[in-house]
Amino acid sequence: MKRIKQSRRVEAIRWFLISVSTLVFTPALYSQIYLDSTAAIDARVEDLLSRMTLEEKIGQMTQADRQYLQSEDDIREYGLGSLLSGGGSSPPVNTPDSWADMYDRYQSYALQTRLRIPLIYGIDAVHGHNNVKGAVIFPHNIGMGCTRNDSLVEAAARITAKEVAGTGIDWTFGPCIAVPRDERWGRTYEGFGETSELAEHMAGASVRGFQGQDLADGSTILACAKHYVGDGGTTNGIDQGDTRVDEATLRAIHLPGYIAAIAAGVGSIMASFSSWNGQKLHGHHYLLTTVLKEELGFEGFVVSDWAGIDQLPGSYSSDVETSINAGIDMVMVPNRYPEFIHTLKSLVEEGKISESRIDDALRRILRIKFKLGLFEWPFTDRSLTSQIGSTEHREVARACVRESLILLKKKDGVLPISKNLTRIHVAGKHADNLGYQCGGWTITWQGGSGAITIGTTILEAIRKAAQGANVTFTVDGTQADGADVGIAIIGETPYAEGRGDRADLSLTEEDIRTVRNLKNAGLKVVVIVISGRPLILTPILHYCDAIFAAWLPGTEGLGVTDVLFGDHPPKGKLSHSWPRNMEQIPINYGDLNYNPLFPYNHGISSFANSAPGSPPEFYSAATTSDGRAVEVTFNKRMADPSSSAEQFIVNVSGLENTVVNARLKPEDETTLILTLASSVAAHDVVTVAYIEGSIYAEDGGKLASFEPELVYNDVVTSSPFQAVPGRIEAEDYAAMSGIQTEVTSDIGGGLNVGWIDAGDWMRYNLNVQSGGAYSVSFRVASATHAGQIQLQRDGATIGSLNLPITGGWQVWQTVSTFVYLPRGPQTLTVHASAGGFNLNWFEFSFVTQVIEEEPLPNDFELSQNYPNPFNASTRIHYYLPRASHVTLKVFNVGGEEIATLVDRVHEAGSHVVSFDADDLSSGLYIYRIESGPFTAVRKALLLR
């Protein structure tokens, strides 16, 4: 066996001594075929299977999360076949050595069972060993797809395998080979791109990287292709939703990646939470057994997703029966493992699940365990532990970052940035935030903020790359006057499944202001967008001179500056079509009327300026904030156009608006200012076109005619902030999609927003006077449909509200919900997740202040339950580094105590508290933990 290494021998001896007192060794034990490493794997499987009781077989089909073990001895008592660490389920001290110690300890319990069958341990190592502090974090798959480099993808997976194996763990729940078809889906970044070709191309490379040439090699791990099948195609991009396509489409778009993974020898496949035409995949016999196992010849085992069988209709017993008979071999039951084991045994004894189905599942699972060499070398190879986070590994991740970086748009003379400039001003909340740079599934499930692990932020990388320049930094882009260039690093804050679903992919007002502040300082502005999907760039496109998509690059920020300062050319090509606006979503390569802002496979691959004398190219256009002029920007410096105003045609909401004057913008000579005969109003749709005439670039290149281009209406984004608390008229939105205003029939009603259908939205600029809990009331009317409103603050969902049928389009009723709003400027999006209603106004009333008090120190932790932030039976997690008195209480927003969950001394370690919220109504609740002088508060929204 290739696993035979000195360090593994040492670990085997150490753990042998720990467990020897509980084992009975006889000569016959050594005569068993399944323990003979020289025997054929199939012979070993059949020998072991013949010796197993039904209880032992069921134990091998059971996977629990380590944090929910009632006792570590349950591994032995129940004969568990597998454990996992879900997102954030880490040992109390998060270091590679602690992970390895934990794994070996769990394995020692498994080796105390009658047949000494080792555990297989799973983890979501989806972009590096991302749960472990100090491990290298690679770009998420959306960025890796942009490299178009399968060798690099394989190398990244190979390094991930080594780092995972260095903590003892045998199995990663990756690669995700979803084909995301709607960027509103919160897991878009987990797929390689929007086409089946990318999934197919990268799936095999990932599997080869994880599994290597031989699974018995101690530096390889088991791969798991997920989520089978169609998870990226759900309607409206809803996580765990329904993929409504015919079988031909399912096979053409969503199946090829699995065919490639099977061809590469993938040993496990995870079923999807989602449904296909209304039927949950976890219970889909045709897709799991007929197609996957029989037609495609998949010989590995199928594992369920986190408590995935619970989503099947019916009782728990029927969930187990349906899923096992459909083809699930190993069941991820994070906390219900005793109930699952009892239920499955009863179903076999009742004849509802055949023993042959159980044996088929066991053959698949045991075959993999033998291939991994777990029976010979079940413990951690500590020589690999020391390699975690090594410089060599980080260099590969750095190459992945620079090859995934995409130059979307640029003007001449901006890139590459010189390292010898006098002053570079950096801005943006993502500039010096490693957690934001890594995104979700990093250290914790949803990701985090700040120095959550070891790495180099982009700001740090800029300072290292341009050591001769004075690099200054402000988060909001102010104090940039006098700099040679501004670099704005903006984008999405971390999220993972569920919480990542967004109805509106617009940039936050904070990010827009940051870019504007740099531009208003008279600088050339380079923007770097950190995101898990394409975002709507129109509010900033006109105010930057170059823009990069960096996706979620991980820990190696120097990969960004490798390109930014010209040490390497830009190589990345878009793995997703980039929409112009939300109305275009979903948008995918091959659609009819395909007209994205940037097409699939787009990416500028050179910093070279346009040829002297070449025609200038349209770059962007925007109205001035007062609506009196249109600015048109080109890729190069322009000549004075003052005698040629009539050659531009500006159309405002279907009517031509005369251009009375054209002049060069003094502070930016790439831009022409077109003064209009009448001002543009908020919500007007504006276009600009040009008929070839006498407009030239400074270098003599003549501007050619261009068809109407959309003008960004800056009058809209300049609308005033609405004060909170207070009433906001529905028609006073800053931006919207799909609605129109109309006169309200009742006296004093004014205008209302009407014709609101599912998917429509309005965005409002708020200025919240005092952070805290608010009651928000909506005046709504609906004739025949019960609508639903989803509320999003700066892109993150903060609540939803079911609307009544009022009996008429002008029959008004007021309904309310609770939300939490922090103090200061922010955006609120009112999104119709179910339509058929009108909205007159909504009003915020202050309820109570919620203060985030002195935080727990870094070695204390308080978190919400996994995977749902708050529901009718929630679990609250906290970790104590030492024994101390703890109080944990739940309050409503009025400050009334609902329950005391903990009020006693707790020992050191991780703790889980259950809270039954069945008697509570929908609304905002607060739970507060105190330990000594430290306090932490978390908000949770209960939705029914």
Side-chain angles (χ1 to χ4, degrees), residues 8 17 20 43 51 116 176 180 231 267 291 332 384 450 514 560 693 710 730 796 815 833 843 877 888 918:
R8 294 186 75 90
L17 293 174
V20 68
R51 301 174 188 279
R116 298 169 57 204
C176 178
D231 53 335
V291 174
M332 191 187 295
L384 293 172
T514 297
V560 174
L710 191 64
V815 290
S833 43
E843 186 169 16
H877 301 236
L888 177 60
D918 280 336

Side-chain angles (χ1 to χ4, degrees), residues 141-170:
N141 280 353
I142 190 172
M144 298 301 290
C146 294
T147 68
R148 301 298 199 274
N149 187 339
D150 56 348
S151 296
L152 195 58
V153 169
E154 183 173 344
R158 189 76 195 90
I159 286 170
T160 300
K162 288 181 180 180
E163 298 208 352
V164 171
T167 59
I169 294 173
D170 326 284

